[in-house]
Amino acid sequence: FYMEGIEAEIILEGSQSNEQVFVNGKRINCESENGDLVIKHTFGSDDLLVIKRNNDVLFEKRIRVIPIWLSILPPLIAIALALIFREVISSLFIGIYLGAFIPAVYMDGWASPFTALFSLMDRYVLNALNNTGHLSVIVFSMLIGACVHVISKNGGMNGVVAVLSNYAKSRRSGQFVTWLLGVLIFFDDYANTLIVGNTMRPITDRLRISRAKLSYIVDSTAAPIAAIAFVTTWIGAELGYIEDGISAIDGINQNVYEVFLYSLQFSFYPLLTLIFIAMLIYMKKDFGPMYGAETAVIESEVNSAEQHINVSENEMRDFEPDEKIPVRWFNAVIPVLVIIFCTIFGLIQTGWDDSIWANPDSGFFGKLSDTIGQADAYKALLWSSILGLVTAILLSLGQKLLNLQQAIGSVINGFKTMLTAMIILVLAWSLSNVTEDLHTADFLTELISGNMTPYLFPAAIFVLAGLVSFSTGSSWGSMAILYPLMLPLSWTICQESGLDYSASMLIFYNTVSSVLAGSVLGDHCSPISDTTILSSLASSCDHIEHVRTQMPYALTVGAVGTLLGTIPSAFGVPPLLCFLAATLALFVLIRQFGRSTA
């Protein structure tokens, strides 16, 4: 199918050299690749495509072009239905179905309900699964779920709860320990959400901290810290995307890593999010839907687990160890440490390059960042999760806490707990494929990237990145789409406005950071984001409840960061002053509108 304003590529296999292509009677140039004829053309509505050989017509078709604005409907409807009905699986399914139905109608002029249904399965769901990265996330998540179940059944999790209880004695200290763990496990957002959420959930339940608040802290410390830290699984992708944008620009004499480092001074949303959470915890205040979630748990005799997770009593009891099993904290801590350190080792192992470490011009942290930047993060996570699970099983068997049958049964039950989340992830990835096919990001980019002053460009890009990430459910996908498009555009706007090199570079750094920050913001707000789903899963919080309570906080920080950070810094205000002003504004907002949840 063909989208309005998007160049289409048609491949005629086994074509001959004397074949000619015409659109509305005008011959167009084609390329020959490996004996095939490749047609690249942007079709208009109702164009006539004709292929001839020696003036004989071989093929003739009236092209129906899909209006580009329709590309926003599938994700928009999926998100709206999820928020309205608070049921995400059916909402995602309907969004994907609509994305398959629209091309079917425009290709044939009609479509049966089954045409789109078949396309949904064989084009989108199967393609979502036919992806090594996606399968790695599924296997890693299931192994983590199994590991959590084993260390729950062998008494290790209860042991951790007993130890951390010495530090998490109040609602404030319990939230702070969660926030601190989220910052310390900085190297990967998936590992962060699953480890911190599962570890802290029993403690926050005991302290009557809502699952919504737990999932918010888990989600909003994971991506922000992973996005800006020097040694993370994000760094390689970020540098690759930025380099794609820089390669299309003449006149920038800095390498990609220097650009990334200088852009960090404009990372308002990620840093302010971490500060905002800390202030909420310290001031013991909340507002909006989060206040309602917190007070419901504090004032109710029903704990947060019973409020937010719809499982039977047997399933809840299945996580509890036998009363005769001794409670030992190290049975949980050792497998978690194995996961953490094996992930770091795996990142270094898969990214190791002797030439990087032989370079005398790079410091230790620069070499370490370059190494992890080219690592295979998925492979490292798979290694660490299987080793963590094996360690948990061996500890259980070695101390005779579980027999072999109980250990394997616990692994299987751990897999079962992940089924719903895996279904949601697969559907979210399928919807992302729909938005890619329909060029949703191109439509959103076209809406915002018109004539604009360079000083407002970073803020506009922040909003655009947020919209793309929100609609597609992928911060990485948003960065991959926007960096190659927006970085050259940013530089061109600066040059056309007559800015000198120094001023242009400040706008450029700000744009680099704005794409990253906006992608993280949209990811935080989107109910179809994989990290948002994983945060709900790890915290055992109702998914839409998590989205509903987190979104106002994310939008508040995003608005303050844009108005007092991104825009003033583009006009030349020192970023440090912008950070101080934005932090003060967030403090005043919490003090003014926040209500005590002590």
Side-chain angles (χ1 to χ4, degrees):
F1 54 86
Y2 314 102
M3 299 298 298
E4 176 188 13
I6 304 297
E7 184 179 68
E9 182 175 292
I10 304 173
I11 299 177
L12 305 178
E13 297 180 352
S15 297
Q16 299 180 13
S17 58
N18 59 346
E19 292 176 350
Q20 300 173 330
V21 179
F22 297 85
V23 175
N24 294 334
K26 182 179 179 181
R27 183 177 177 182
I28 61 173
N29 294 324
C30 302
E31 301 175 1
S32 180
E33 295 180 3
N34 300 321
D36 299 331
L37 194 65
V38 180
I39 304 170
K40 294 182 180 180
H41 186 73
T42 302
F43 291 100
S45 179
D46 214 33
D47 280 352
L48 180 64
L49 173 66
V50 178
I51 301 175
K52 296 182 179 181
R53 180 188 298 159
N54 298 328
N55 294 324
D56 295 327
V57 176
L58 300 179
F59 177 82
E60 182 175 300
K61 183 176 178 63
R62 184 71 65 177
I63 302 296
R64 294 172 59 87
V65 178
I66 301 175
I68 191 68
W69 65 267
L70 288 176
S71 66
I72 196 64
L73 290 183
L76 190 63
I77 288 176
I79 291 167
L81 290 176
L83 294 175
I84 293 170
F85 296 107
R86 302 180 67 176
E87 205 294 307
V88 70
I89 292 179
S90 60
S91 302
L92 286 170
F93 187 89
I94 291 171
I96 301 166
Y97 182 83
L98 179 61
F101 187 78
I102 291 172
V105 170
Y106 273 85
M107 283 177 65
D108 302 322
W110 69 279
S112 73
F114 297 105
T115 302
L117 189 63
F118 297 155
S119 179
L120 179 153
M121 295 303 300
D122 57 35
R123 182 181 181 91
Y124 295 115
V125 174
L126 285 182
N127 283 343
L129 290 170
N130 190 25
N131 180 296
T132 303
H134 292 172
L135 290 176
S136 297
V137 170
I138 290 174
V139 175
F140 170 70
S141 299
M142 294 184 70
L143 290 173
I144 288 288
C147 185
V148 168
H149 204 278
V150 171
I151 64 179
S152 296
K153 293 296 288 183
N154 69 14
M157 194 67 79
N158 283 0
V160 171
V161 171
V163 172
L164 288 180
S165 297
N166 296 326
Y167 302 96
K169 295 182 178 180
S170 65
R171 284 174 42 79
R172 176 194 277 177
S173 59
Q175 293 177 66
F176 177 75
V177 170
T178 306
W179 176 86
L180 184 62
L181 284 173
V183 172
L184 292 177
I185 304 178
F186 60 87
F187 51 86
D188 180 75
D189 55 333
Y190 287 156
N192 187 314
T193 55
L194 290 169
I195 291 173
V196 177
N198 281 299
T199 301
M200 292 303 299
R201 187 176 62 242
I203 299 170
T204 54
D205 281 350
R206 180 179 58 81
L207 295 172
R208 293 199 174 278
I209 299 168
S210 68
R211 293 280 177 87
K213 190 63 173 292
L214 171 63
S215 57
Y216 166 64
I217 297 174
V218 167
D219 197 0
S220 293
T221 53
I225 194 67
I228 61 177
F230 300 107
V231 182
T232 73
T233 54
W234 283 51
I235 190 70
E238 289 171 357
L239 296 181
Y241 299 151
I242 296 170
E243 189 167 25
D244 287 343
I246 294 177
S247 62
I249 302 173
D250 293 326
I252 294 182
N253 53 19
Q254 292 179 340
N255 64 42
V256 62
Y257 199 73
E258 286 180 291
V259 169
F260 173 73
L261 289 178
Y262 280 114
S263 73
L264 292 180
Q265 63 187 309
F266 302 102
S267 297
F268 296 105
Y269 178 75
L271 290 172
L272 288 173
T273 295
L274 299 175
I275 295 170
F276 182 71
I277 299 171
M279 287 194 295
L280 286 173
I281 296 170
Y282 177 76
M283 299 170 71
K284 295 192 287 187
K285 290 188 174 185
D286 282 291
F287 59 85
M290 188 68 76
Y291 175 77
E294 286 284 85
T295 53
V297 171
I298 294 171
E299 297 173 358
S300 175
E301 294 181 358
V302 180
N303 68 26
S304 58
E306 293 168 332
Q307 284 189 332
H308 288 314
I309 182 168
N310 297 317
V311 296
S312 68
E313 291 183 6
N314 289 334
E315 289 173 315
M316 290 295 296
R317 195 181 303 117
D318 193 46
F319 277 88
E320 293 297 324
D322 190 279
E323 293 180 357
K324 298 179 181 179
I325 292 178
V327 173
R328 296 166 182 163
W329 61 268
F330 55 82
N331 286 326
V333 171
I334 291 175
V336 171
L337 289 178
V338 167
I339 292 172
I340 293 173
F341 287 108
C342 284
T343 299
I344 296 173
F345 171 79
L347 292 173
I348 295 174
Q349 172 69 23
T350 58
W352 185 269
D353 187 338
D354 290 335
S355 63
I356 292 176
W357 292 90
N359 182 8
D361 298 328
S362 180
F364 173 78
F365 288 106
K367 295 175 181 177
L368 186 62
S369 294
D370 289 342
T371 299
I372 291 183
Q374 61 183 26
D376 187 335
Y378 292 124
K379 186 180 290 186
L381 290 172
L382 289 173
W383 290 352
S384 64
S385 57
I386 189 63
L387 285 174
L389 177 58
V390 169
T391 301
I393 293 174
L394 292 178
L395 286 170
S396 302
L397 297 177
Q399 300 170 72
K400 298 183 178 179
L401 304 173
L402 302 173
N403 59 38
L404 183 59
Q405 184 178 3
Q406 291 172 325
I408 298 303
S410 186
V411 170
I412 300 301
N413 287 331
F415 289 161
K416 291 178 182 177
T417 63
M418 307 295 289
L419 179 61
T420 300
M422 295 306 101
I423 292 173
I424 295 173
L425 275 176
V426 171
L427 291 177
W429 288 326
S430 302
L431 184 58
S432 180
N433 289 340
V434 168
T435 61
E436 183 178 349
D437 273 1
L438 296 181
H439 297 273
T440 305
D442 292 302
F443 171 68
L444 293 172
T445 301
E446 184 180 347
L447 285 180
I448 200 170
S449 59
N451 296 324
M452 182 175 296
T453 173
Y455 301 107
L456 295 178
F457 188 79
I461 295 308
F462 174 80
V463 174
L464 175 61
L467 289 173
V468 173
S469 182
F470 180 82
S471 300
T472 61
S474 172
S475 52
W476 283 32
S478 179
M479 289 187 286
I481 293 165
L482 294 180
Y483 269 132
L485 297 173
M486 294 300 113
L487 295 191
L489 181 58
S490 169
W491 186 257
T492 300
I493 290 175
C494 289
Q495 298 304 297
E496 290 178 349
S497 299
L499 299 183
D500 60 23
Y501 182 81
S502 178
S504 297
M505 287 307 296
L506 285 178
I507 299 293
F508 186 78
Y509 296 143
N510 208 332
T511 302
V512 170
S513 183
S514 293
V515 172
L516 174 61
S519 298
V520 174
L521 169 64
D523 190 73
H524 278 164
C525 294
S526 178
I528 61 175
S529 158
D530 51 1
T531 49
T532 305
I533 294 165
L534 287 176
S535 298
S536 305
L537 161 74
S539 305
S540 291
C541 176
D542 177 79
H543 179 57
I544 301 304
E545 176 74 3
H546 169 45
V547 175
R548 188 181 70 87
T549 52
Q550 174 169 262
M551 187 181 294
Y553 282 175
L555 293 176
T556 297
V557 177
V560 171
T562 302
L563 296 175
L564 297 181
T566 304
I567 293 176
S569 63
F571 280 96
V573 178
L576 181 59
L577 288 180
C578 295
F579 270 112
L580 292 175
T583 301
L584 179 61
L586 290 174
F587 178 84
V588 171
L589 284 173
I590 296 172
R591 187 178 182 87
Q592 185 70 26
F593 298 103
R595 300 167 68 183
S596 176
T597 53

